[in-house]
């Protein structure tokens, strides 16, 4: 009887600790959209194969795309401080080729802080606005967390030396990468990365997952322009697979279009509320994700995330 009791207790502890671990991961991602509090480790990174020469490494911050070309490896995003070295270790399991290029989708800590862990010879490419923002590592609006200024600590190593304004093509044939800029959304420097031969797109955090995005006005982001920027992304031709900033699986270009509509619903509701004289507080306290998006797998935002996005919308809807 006592043995049974001890066994039962052990099972309970196991179940509890597993669910606590799952719980800790989910809110850490939701709240900070990053690798959060988890200690950096190779085990914290998982590899998903998208194509024979394209992989996603998840964990430790934003989703990292690994594109293997004839001349070397191009990475899209390099995760949070401390995760650069584990990322390098995981890469060795995929390919012996060296990393030659890093593309950062935007300036946030959980997408760029791994950069200085790579050799200084690696070419770092970003949108021109992101190149201006990265040396500053400003707070993310609504989170007030800039991470640390890894670039200052590394005497500028890992900062972009090549930038683009609207479009940039790198490489050719099967190695080709197209970079696009469509305007303000998550920040004022969101790059969209297309691998044309593979029909794959990486959106960064302009499409993080099926939830309310960060609208980081500290880094030039916008609520009002978010839907139109995403609509242009959704109109990109010949895309079968979409790697998002933080989702645990790949999505589709139809999901990008739906995400544009999701953000448009929020902005339209905010505009109507403000013009009818509703207060910021009242709108932030009452807005809910419309049912059709809940049916499509969308999550309700936290009160903090919603409040900060309503603040951004209210500033812009003057
Ligand atoms: Zn971000």
């Amino acid at each position: 009887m006592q043995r049974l009791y001890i066994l039962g207790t052990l099972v309970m502890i196991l179940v509890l600790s597993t669910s606590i671990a799952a719980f800790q991961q989910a809110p850490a991602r939701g709240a900070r959209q990053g690798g959060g509090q988890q200690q950096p480790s190779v085990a914290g990174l998982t590899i998903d194969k998208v194509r024979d020469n394209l992989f996603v490494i998840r964990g430790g911050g934003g989703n990292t795309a690994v594109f293997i070309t004839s001349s070397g490896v191009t990475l899209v995003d390099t995760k949070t401080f401390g995760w650069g070295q584990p990322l390098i270790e995981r890469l060795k399991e995929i390919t012996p080729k060296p990393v030659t290029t890093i593309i950062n989708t935007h300036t946030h800590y959980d997408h760029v802080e791994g950069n200085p862990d790579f050799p200084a010879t690696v070419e770092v490419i970003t949108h021109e606005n992101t190149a201006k923002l990265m040396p500053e590592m400003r707070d993310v609006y609504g989170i007030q967390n800039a991470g640390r200024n890894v670039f200052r600590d590394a005497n500028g190593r890992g900062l972009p030396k090549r930038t683009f304004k609207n479009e940039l093509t790198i490489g050719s044939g099967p190695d080709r990468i197209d970079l696009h800029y469509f305007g303000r959304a998550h920040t004022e420097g969101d790059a969209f990365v297309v691998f044309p031969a593979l029909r794959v797109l990486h959106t960064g955090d302009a499409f993080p997952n099926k939830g309310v995005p960060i609208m980081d006005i500290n880094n030039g982001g916008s609520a009002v322009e978010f839907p139109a920027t995403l609509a242009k992304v959704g109109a990109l031709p010949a895309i079968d697979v979409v790697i998002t900033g933080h989702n645990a699986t790949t999505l589709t270009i139809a999901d990008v279009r739906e995400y544009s509509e999701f953000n448009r619903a929020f902005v339209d509701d905010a505009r109507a509320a403000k013009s009818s004289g509703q207060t910021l507080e009242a709108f932030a306290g009452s807005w809910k994700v419309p049912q059709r998006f809940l049916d499509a797998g969308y999550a309700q935002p936290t009160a903090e995330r919603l409040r900060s996005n309503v603040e951004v919308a209210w500033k812009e809807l003057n």
Side-chain angles (χ1 to χ4, degrees), residues 1-13:
M1 189 63 196
Q2 200 161 13
R3 230 181 263 170
L4 256 182
Y5 175 76
I6 291 167
L7 188 69
T9 308
L10 278 174
V11 169
M12 275 274 281
I13 289 169

Side-chain angles (χ1 to χ4, degrees), residues 126-237:
T126 68
H127 184 260
E128 60 183 19
N129 293 341
T130 293
K132 286 185 194 136
L133 291 164
M134 277 170 73
E136 298 184 20
M137 293 301 280
R138 299 177 189 170
D139 277 350
V140 180
Y141 191 79
I143 295 182
Q144 313 311 343
N145 182 347
R148 64 179 73 196
N149 195 325
V150 293
F151 304 109
R152 193 174 50 214
D153 294 349
N155 294 316
R157 179 158 151 175
L159 285 171
K161 296 204 178 71
R162 188 174 179 190
T163 64
F164 73 102
K165 191 178 182 70
N166 295 314
E167 314 274 333
L168 177 67
T169 290
I170 309 158
S172 60
D175 292 345
R176 175 171 165 166
I177 300 170
D178 291 335
L179 302 182
H180 299 271
Y181 181 72
F182 293 121
R184 297 164 67 205
H186 180 60
T187 69
E188 64 179 345
D190 303 325
F192 297 90
V193 186
V194 175
F195 307 97
L198 307 179
R199 300 171 66 96
V200 176
L201 160 71
H202 193 313
T203 63
D205 283 355
F207 185 15
N209 49 36
K210 290 190 174 187
V212 169
I214 289 174
M215 297 164 173
D216 181 7
I217 204 167
N218 285 354
N219 285 290
S222 168
V224 169
E225 293 178 35
F226 216 115
T229 300
L230 279 174
K232 291 176 202 160
V233 183
L236 281 168

Side-chain angles (χ1 to χ4, degrees), residues 31-251:
R32 299 185 63 211
Q33 283 195 3
Q37 291 73 4
Q38 202 188 351
Q39 281 299 312
S41 69
V42 177
L45 299 176
T46 58
I47 302 171
D48 286 345
K49 183 174 172 178
V50 179
R51 298 282 192 258
D52 284 344
N53 61 336
L54 183 69
F55 299 78
V56 182
I57 300 186
R58 302 182 198 279
N63 288 331
T64 298
V66 180
F67 183 48
I68 302 163
T69 75
S70 54
S71 58
V73 176
T74 294
L75 295 184
V76 182
D77 289 347
T78 60
K79 307 192 181 296
T80 309
F81 177 76
W83 288 89
Q85 204 54 49
L87 176 59
I88 289 166
E89 293 303 313
R90 267 286 186 246
L91 280 171
K92 289 177 189 164
E93 296 169 29
I94 300 175
T95 175
K97 291 187 177 180
V99 173
T100 55
T101 309
I102 291 170
I103 297 163
N104 294 120
T105 56
H106 64 294
T107 189
H108 286 160
Y109 63 96
D110 52 327
H111 300 258
V112 304
E113 283 183 345
N115 284 17
D117 292 329
F118 290 85
T121 50
V122 171
E123 181 169 55
V124 180
I125 306 173
T126 68
H127 184 260
E128 60 183 19
N129 293 341
T130 293
K132 286 185 194 136
L133 291 164
M134 277 170 73
E136 298 184 20
M137 293 301 280
R138 299 177 189 170
D139 277 350
V140 180
Y141 191 79
I143 295 182
Q144 313 311 343
N145 182 347
R148 64 179 73 196
N149 195 325
V150 293
F151 304 109
R152 193 174 50 214
D153 294 349
N155 294 316
R157 179 158 151 175
L159 285 171
K161 296 204 178 71
R162 188 174 179 190
T163 64
F164 73 102
K165 191 178 182 70
N166 295 314
E167 314 274 333
L168 177 67
T169 290
I170 309 158
S172 60
D175 292 345
R176 175 171 165 166
I177 300 170
D178 291 335
L179 302 182
H180 299 271
Y181 181 72
F182 293 121
R184 297 164 67 205
H186 180 60
T187 69
E188 64 179 345
D190 303 325
F192 297 90
V193 186
V194 175
F195 307 97
L198 307 179
R199 300 171 66 96
V200 176
L201 160 71
H202 193 313
T203 63
D205 283 355
F207 185 15
N209 49 36
K210 290 190 174 187
V212 169
I214 289 174
M215 297 164 173
D216 181 7
I217 204 167
N218 285 354
N219 285 290
S222 168
V224 169
E225 293 178 35
F226 216 115
T229 300
L230 279 174
K232 291 176 202 160
V233 183
L236 281 168
I239 305 289
D240 296 327
V241 173
V242 175
I243 300 165
T244 71
H246 290 269
N247 207 54
T249 61
T250 57
L251 296 173

